[in-house]
Amino acid sequence: MDAYNTAGSNYLPTAFSSLTPQFGHGTDSNSSGCSLDSMSGGDAGVAGPRKQMPRQKINARERCRTFNVNAAYEALRILIPTEPVNRKLSKIEVIRLASSYITHLRSTLIMGTDKSPCLLQHSGKCKSEYGLARVSICTFCMKQK
DNA sequence: TAGGCCATCTGGTCCT
DNA sequence: AGGACCAGATGGCCTA
């Protein structure tokens, strides 16, 4: 299931390999280290023979956008506890684990304990705010011993 | 080698 | 009109 990990650990985006992306503080989506000036370089030679000017610009902008998306992923990624600690999560793992981690933290708040709060909450004593007793196995509860 | 993950390109759509 | 966003296609890299 979660067999995919660490695969792209040292995967270096070709267009950004020279940029040394400033991951980490990507809360500001506009200023997270991507500028068109620095990346509209002369690649993208795929386009037609001559009319590549507008296409290059669009491609560079899209690369910039992808860069910002990845910065946001990275910002989220570092908030998620992993095992081992430096395990690189894929994007889909980031989304899924962030979701379950938020649920876990919310259960911690509600139950007032960090000892398997999700299991306690779903054991029947306490239902969610919507009255639904969700049966789920919390990765973060299981991790604690 | 197959499958997973990813970056990039590209065209379409929506918004300002 | 130009920019932002999105999804599909494509090809490369990496691991089992």
Side-chain angles (χ1 to χ4, degrees), chain A residues 76-95:
Chain A
L76 186 56
R77 183 177 286 143
I78 61 178
L79 297 177
I80 303 172
T82 60
E83 204 164 324
V85 178
N86 55 355
R87 168 152 116 75
K88 169 87 186 285
L89 299 173
S90 68
K91 290 181 176 179
I92 186 66
E93 286 177 311
V94 168
I95 295 298

Side-chain angles (χ1 to χ4, degrees), chain A residues 33-85:
Chain A
C34 173
S35 74
L36 283 179
D37 293 339
S38 64
M39 55 191 324
S40 58
D43 62 336
V46 187
R50 269 304 142 93
K51 62 169 201 124
Q52 45 180 289
M53 252 304 282
R55 199 62 247 184
Q56 267 193 355
K57 191 177 176 185
I58 292 172
N59 289 348
R61 191 175 297 121
E62 177 64 14
R63 260 180 272 134
C64 185
R65 196 186 69 83
T66 302
F67 178 86
N68 288 328
V69 169
N70 289 341
Y73 268 107
E74 186 61 24
L76 186 56
R77 183 177 286 143
I78 61 178
L79 297 177
I80 303 172
T82 60
E83 204 164 324
V85 178

Side-chain angles (χ1 to χ4, degrees), chain A residues 14-36:
Chain A
T14 55
F16 297 106
S17 55
S18 61
L19 291 182
T20 317
Q22 307 130 343
F23 280 148
H25 297 83
T27 53
D28 179 3
S29 63
N30 287 331
S31 61
S32 43
C34 173
S35 74
L36 283 179

